[in-house]
Amino acid sequence: THSLSKFYFVYKAAPKTQVEFDYDGPSMKTSVPGTRSQVTHKQHVYSQNVGAINFFCNYDESRGNYLVDVDGNRMLDIYTQISSIPIGYNHPALLKLMSNPNNLSTLVNRPALGILPPENFPNKLTESLLSVAPSGMGRVQTMACGSCSNENAYKAMFIWYRNKERGHNIPSDEDLSSCMVNQVPGCPELSILSFMGAFHGRTMGCLATTHSKAIHKLDVPSFDWPIAPFPKLQYPLEEFSRENAQEEARCLEEVEDLIVKWRQKGKPVAGIVIEPIQAEGGDNHASPDFFRSLRNIACKHGCAFHVDEVQTGGGNTGKFWAHEHWGMDDPADIVSFSKKLLTGGYYHKDELQADKPYRIFNTWMGDPSKNLLLAEVLNVIRKENLLEEVTRSGKALINGLYELQAQYPGILSRARGQGTFCAIDICDDATRSSILLKARDKGVLLGGCGDRSIRFRPALVFKDYHVHIFLNIFNEVLAQHK
């Protein structure tokens, strides 16, 4: 059962510079959640819905790739707050930034950015978000989270589409009066095309385009918007290239059919929204050709093309944006982001700029302190060549998963990934739950996605030796299930 570890789960100790802000391995004192976590959970039950809480954390003691809980358990974190920690816990560069007295004002005073931004805000945007802008996009709209980023991006697409239909941006009196009572033409019958398996957020517009889990959508009214199939690829890819190409062609044909059908229904498709890898829906991939063809379909039918990079952006696929793997000069009209970018928002082409003040607006519209942190995160990524590291450790991770899949064919299948953005399928949901809990008790934090997948979402400072620590523990857990 353990023959694998003889030839490849061998790892060197961490280099000395790493150990200062990273631990040398997991250390477990109790099962998780431990006693202290359970007591805190009971206190918390009176103030919030706590059903989803796993355990309580000690963020002061967490370092690098390791999350420490309130019972003193130290776990290698390969889930990183649902893929939102860019360079690990308590990175020295970020702690130094926070201790600089010149930054206190930014932390203490949170402005309503849309009306009263600080003087340095344009410069901070240039240093942070605009320095990593996707190809062809020089504009960015900051927001607080992924859902409000997508929600406002949808509004931007609708506004753009209606102005295009009018031939100008001056609404009629009828537009203005009818929108106040939710009627056409002021509230037009437009739609956004999304894909089965998608996750774009939990606000009302986003939910209408989210199709990954019933619990997200249950009891909430929705829009009559078209839903296209997302390709279901067969693995290994090289053995099924013909079948996968046929599957992608089928899905693209369905997209065009739906656009035509919804136009005939009087609810034309103003925009198409898609993730480069469907994350929550099960780490579903498609080829660069699929996305390039989809982009062309959007252009052909006059739909805006919105790429949702909330979970895929920030470097964990080996490129800063997952859509860079498509090799396109003009990949999208809108790219939304959050998570590893620390703030939410969306990049957009000039023509998607809101035509009047207060159309894309809320009180905070992001948070300047997050741009301050992001500028430093980007410095660390560049200085330490972290995207190259991600490619290197991603290869080690996927190769390890291939080996384990060969070793445990009754449990594991369909290992897949790009950079460290990897996943593997488990034989069934019950086994997956058991594996996740056993791994956690041995000091590795993982997350599920889709019906029966485990997803890997480490920080960008996840190195080869962390991969091997994980593979050893995962091998032990699988051996118990064999």
Side-chain angles (χ1 to χ4, degrees):
T1 307
H2 298 283
S3 59
L4 236 59
S5 55
K6 286 178 191 164
F7 64 91
Y8 95 72
F9 296 152
V10 179
Y11 60 91
K12 298 178 193 137
K16 255 289 171 261
T17 52
Q18 281 287 323
V19 177
E20 289 163 21
F21 65 100
D22 200 22
Y23 293 108
D24 58 3
S27 168
M28 302 305 289
K29 297 176 178 176
T30 71
S31 60
V32 183
T35 310
R36 208 162 156 191
S37 226
Q38 290 172 40
V39 169
T40 313
H41 196 278
K42 280 179 186 144
Q43 291 169 349
H44 196 42
V45 95
Y46 299 109
S47 56
Q48 275 198 333
N49 179 343
V50 297
I53 291 174
N54 289 216
F55 54 87
F56 287 80
C57 306
N58 182 340
Y59 288 106
D60 289 341
E61 291 300 318
S62 300
R63 295 274 182 282
N65 291 277
Y66 292 89
L67 179 62
V68 176
D69 74 1
V70 290
D71 290 278
N73 296 301
R74 188 168 79 214
M75 291 161 267
L76 180 62
D77 190 353
I78 314 184
Y79 194 40
T80 58
Q81 312 293 323
I82 320 176
S83 196
S84 67
I85 301 281
I87 53 172
Y89 295 102
N90 288 306
H91 194 286
L94 300 187
L95 293 177
K96 187 178 172 188
L97 188 80
M98 289 295 98
S99 64
N100 182 341
N102 297 330
N103 294 328
L104 278 178
S105 168
T106 305
L107 295 169
V108 170
N109 303 295
R110 187 176 186 179
L113 280 172
I115 52 170
L116 297 163
E119 182 185 14
N120 67 355
F121 191 58
N123 286 339
K124 283 296 162 199
L125 275 185
T126 303
E127 280 176 34
S128 59
L129 290 166
L130 290 172
S131 76
V132 287
S135 173
M137 295 186 193
R139 290 179 178 268
V140 67
Q141 176 60 68
T142 53
M143 284 287 160
C145 70
S147 286
C148 64
S149 304
N150 285 337
E151 197 81 15
N152 283 285
Y154 293 178
K155 284 164 56 183
M157 291 193 284
F158 289 136
I159 292 165
W160 162 80
Y161 193 89
R162 281 295 285 140
N163 285 335
K164 197 171 57 154
E165 280 189 328
R166 290 187 191 104
H168 54 77
N169 69 345
I170 301 159
S172 68
D173 289 344
E174 190 187 4
D175 287 332
L176 295 171
S177 59
S178 58
C179 78
M180 294 303 290
V181 287
N182 302 342
Q183 300 297 314
V184 295
C187 288
E189 292 274 17
L190 296 175
S191 62
I192 288 174
L193 183 141
S194 57
F195 291 80
M196 276 308 289
F199 183 90
H200 297 294
R202 298 168 189 270
T203 47
M204 294 290 281
C206 294
L207 263 189
T209 57
T210 288
H211 319 285
S212 45
K213 289 189 177 79
I215 199 69
H216 301 152
K217 295 172 69 72
L218 185 67
D219 298 332
V220 181
S222 201
F223 299 108
D224 178 21
W225 290 354
I227 308 160
F230 191 87
K232 286 186 166 62
L233 300 188
Q234 296 181 60
Y235 291 84
L237 295 175
E238 59 277 7
E239 285 179 30
F240 294 99
S241 53
R242 189 172 55 85
E243 292 88 340
N244 288 339
Q246 284 173 346
E247 167 68 354
E248 291 190 340
R250 176 187 76 86
C251 294
L252 290 165
E253 194 178 325
E254 181 75 10
V255 168
E256 287 218 72
D257 288 349
L258 287 166
I259 291 171
V260 171
K261 192 174 168 189
W262 253 255
R263 190 185 299 131
Q264 288 166 348
K265 279 172 70 162
K267 299 180 179 184
V269 174
I272 296 172
V273 63
I274 197 162
E275 301 154 275
I277 303 167
Q278 285 190 334
E280 186 73 29
D283 270 42
N284 307 315
H285 293 251
S287 71
D289 278 344
F290 173 81
F291 292 104
R292 286 194 285 259
S293 298
L294 194 62
R295 175 73 176 120
N296 291 338
I297 288 170
C299 291
K300 173 181 164 185
H301 290 277
C303 314
F305 191 56
H306 172 180
V307 177
D308 177 348
E309 290 252 22
V310 167
Q311 193 160 150
T312 50
N316 50 356
T317 67
K319 293 187 183 289
F320 199 84
W321 301 108
H323 71 254
E324 292 176 65
H325 291 283
W326 308 343
M328 296 177 74
D329 294 330
D330 181 25
D333 299 305
I334 285 187
V335 174
S336 55
F337 58 86
S338 191
K339 291 192 184 283
K340 280 189 173 60
L341 279 290
L342 303 180
T343 176
Y346 60 90
Y347 298 95
H348 57 89
K349 291 189 161 177
D350 290 352
E351 55 266 36
L352 271 292
Q353 175 74 21
D355 58 355
K356 293 179 182 65
Y358 296 104
R359 298 204 78 178
I360 303 290
F361 187 84
N362 57 43
T363 299
W364 285 329
M365 298 180 79
D367 179 350
S369 70
K370 301 306 180 195
N371 297 323
L372 194 67
L373 285 163
L374 177 61
E376 192 53 41
V377 164
L378 295 173
N379 285 339
V380 170
I381 290 172
R382 291 171 186 129
K383 203 164 62 189
E384 298 184 10
N385 296 316
L386 290 184
L387 297 189
E388 290 172 28
E389 289 279 3
V390 164
T391 303
R392 193 178 301 122
S393 49
K395 279 185 183 144
L397 178 56
I398 197 69
N399 286 333
L401 293 174
Y402 288 150
E403 297 277 1
L404 286 171
Q405 179 174 281
Q407 177 94 347
Y408 302 100
I411 306 174
L412 303 179
S413 63
R414 300 181 75 241
R416 56 205 181 274
Q418 209 159 41
T420 56
F421 199 105
C422 294
I424 196 159
D425 282 7
I426 310 300
C427 52
D428 55 60
D429 183 28
T431 306
R432 172 178 66 175
S433 297
S434 171
I435 285 171
L436 289 174
L437 290 174
K438 283 194 165 73
R440 190 171 78 182
D441 280 343
K442 287 179 180 286
V444 170
L445 266 184
L446 296 163
C449 65
D451 296 331
R452 55 192 183 95
S453 301
I454 289 177
R455 58 178 148 174
F456 302 89
R457 299 290 189 270
L460 304 180
V461 291
F462 189 71
K463 313 280 187 188
D464 275 17
Y465 53 85
H466 297 115
V467 172
H468 293 115
I469 291 170
F470 155 69
L471 290 171
N472 276 320
I473 292 171
F474 202 46
N475 187 32
E476 283 174 32
V477 170
L478 293 165
Q480 290 172 9
H481 275 273
K482 198 171 180 184

